[in-house]
Amino acid sequence: MGRPMQVARYWRHFKEKYRMVGTKCKECGEIYFPPRQVCPKCGSREMEDVQLSGKGKVLSWTIVRNPPSGFEYFKPYPLALIELEEGPIVLAQLTDVDENQIDFGMEVEMVTRKIREFEEDGLILYGYKFRPPIKP
Ligand code: ZN
């Protein structure tokens, strides 16, 4: 019973996770990620999808040395509060970065990475992480 529902929920959220689509309030212009049905600021239900750039900067971070079950593969990993260009603040893992390089205000961009793998059926969850922009 539980499994099909989990998968359905996963696919419904796939678009917002993979492409980083947020919602914008048509009344006050506030942008939210993850998407909201109702604007917490003005109470409007007039929300529209908005494609976010996936670019942002690090507000603060911590190094997670004892990850929760299922994340052992990544330990230890940096977890950061990132302010997106469009305004929303997200909590996400940093990747492709040495922990000594991380700094306040460091520019980062979203990448899609494997987050978690369920051993029993091979279901792999992808989600967003952030890394410093690749220098041209
Ligand atoms: Zn609003």
Side-chain angles (χ1 to χ4, degrees):
M1 245 333 255
R3 177 68 55 190
M5 288 182 69
Q6 273 186 359
V7 172
R9 191 171 60 216
Y10 164 60
W11 282 108
R12 194 165 60 235
H13 289 294
F14 187 78
K15 191 174 85 166
E16 75 197 43
K17 284 192 170 150
Y18 195 74
R19 292 180 50 225
M20 203 160 215
V21 173
T23 49
K24 181 179 181 181
C25 174
K26 289 181 178 176
E27 294 294 322
C28 71
E30 196 77 11
I31 293 174
Y32 298 97
F33 184 85
R36 301 274 196 140
Q37 304 285 323
V38 180
C39 179
K41 196 172 167 186
C42 72
S44 170
R45 289 173 181 272
E46 295 292 311
M47 308 293 281
E48 60 183 357
D49 283 358
V50 57
Q51 175 75 56
L52 305 179
S53 69
K55 291 191 170 72
K57 62 184 182 194
V58 173
L59 291 181
S60 68
W61 75 96
T62 185
I63 306 297
V64 178
R65 301 195 188 276
N66 294 294
S69 176
F71 289 81
E72 292 90 346
Y73 175 75
F74 298 105
K75 82 176 171 185
Y77 62 85
L79 191 65
L81 268 181
I82 294 152
E83 182 178 16
L84 302 176
E85 269 186 350
E86 294 85 359
I89 292 170
V90 297
L91 183 66
Q93 243 176 282
L94 297 180
T95 187
D96 300 340
V97 64
D98 187 284
E99 64 181 78
N100 299 317
Q101 285 179 265
I102 305 170
D103 204 357
F104 294 103
M106 183 178 78
E107 289 183 13
V108 289
E109 63 183 14
M110 187 190 73
V111 287
T112 306
R113 285 295 159 87
K114 185 171 79 174
I115 295 284
R116 186 167 181 171
E117 192 165 349
F118 295 94
E119 287 173 15
E120 67 269 31
D121 56 7
L123 179 68
I124 297 171
L125 291 183
Y126 286 86
Y128 52 90
K129 293 186 184 182
F130 288 81
R131 71 176 181 202
I134 302 296
K135 304 279 186 299

